[in-house]
Amino acid sequence: YLTTYAVAQIFTGLVEAVTGRKMGLVLCFIGSGVCALVFGMFDDRVIRSCAWMCMGLFQAMFFPMIVGILNDWFPSASRGRVFGVWSTSPQIGGFATSAFGAWVLANHELTWHA
């Protein structure tokens, strides 16, 4: 995953130049979804390894394209604040979903046991 991620970051500019930012993001979303679907559908180690490596290719292209889009949307005076919020949101979301899941399990008498 990390090897293909690193290699794909080198070619992100070329992909963006050929497809454009928005279409590049669409391709990354679709490609990531297909890789996740393949990874979940098969038990074979080789197929899962290939899907995981392809996921690295698609995931590597997300951030540079999103940064380019955010650069176009916001003036230079507010970009630092915007990128700070954007970069912090995955951590806040992860905390919030864990806390919400714990609350649901505690208040609705649900368990993870079958």
Side-chain angles (χ1 to χ4, degrees):
Y1 175 83
L2 292 177
T3 303
T4 55
Y5 188 95
V7 169
Q9 283 188 327
I10 296 169
F11 297 105
T12 299
L14 178 63
V15 172
E16 183 180 336
V18 171
T19 63
R21 284 186 191 137
K22 291 178 184 177
M23 186 53 68
L25 280 174
V26 168
L27 293 174
C28 288
F29 278 114
I30 291 171
S32 294
V34 169
C35 288
L37 182 68
V38 169
F39 189 84
M41 286 178 59
F42 295 96
D43 288 333
D44 185 56
R45 184 181 300 183
V46 174
I47 294 173
R48 282 187 160 189
S49 296
C50 290
W52 196 242
M53 289 187 330
C54 287
M55 179 71 84
L57 293 172
F58 291 113
Q59 292 289 316
M61 292 185 252
F62 272 113
F63 190 72
M65 290 187 196
I66 288 173
V67 166
I69 288 173
L70 290 176
N71 272 338
D72 293 341
W73 286 354
F74 296 98
S76 59
S78 64
R79 280 188 202 142
R81 182 174 38 253
V82 169
F83 286 120
V85 170
W86 184 268
S87 298
T88 305
S89 62
Q91 288 81 11
I92 294 171
F95 172 77
T97 55
S98 296
F100 178 71
W103 177 82
V104 167
L105 288 174
N107 292 312
H108 297 290
E109 298 179 12
L110 300 172
T111 67
W112 58 272
H113 297 286

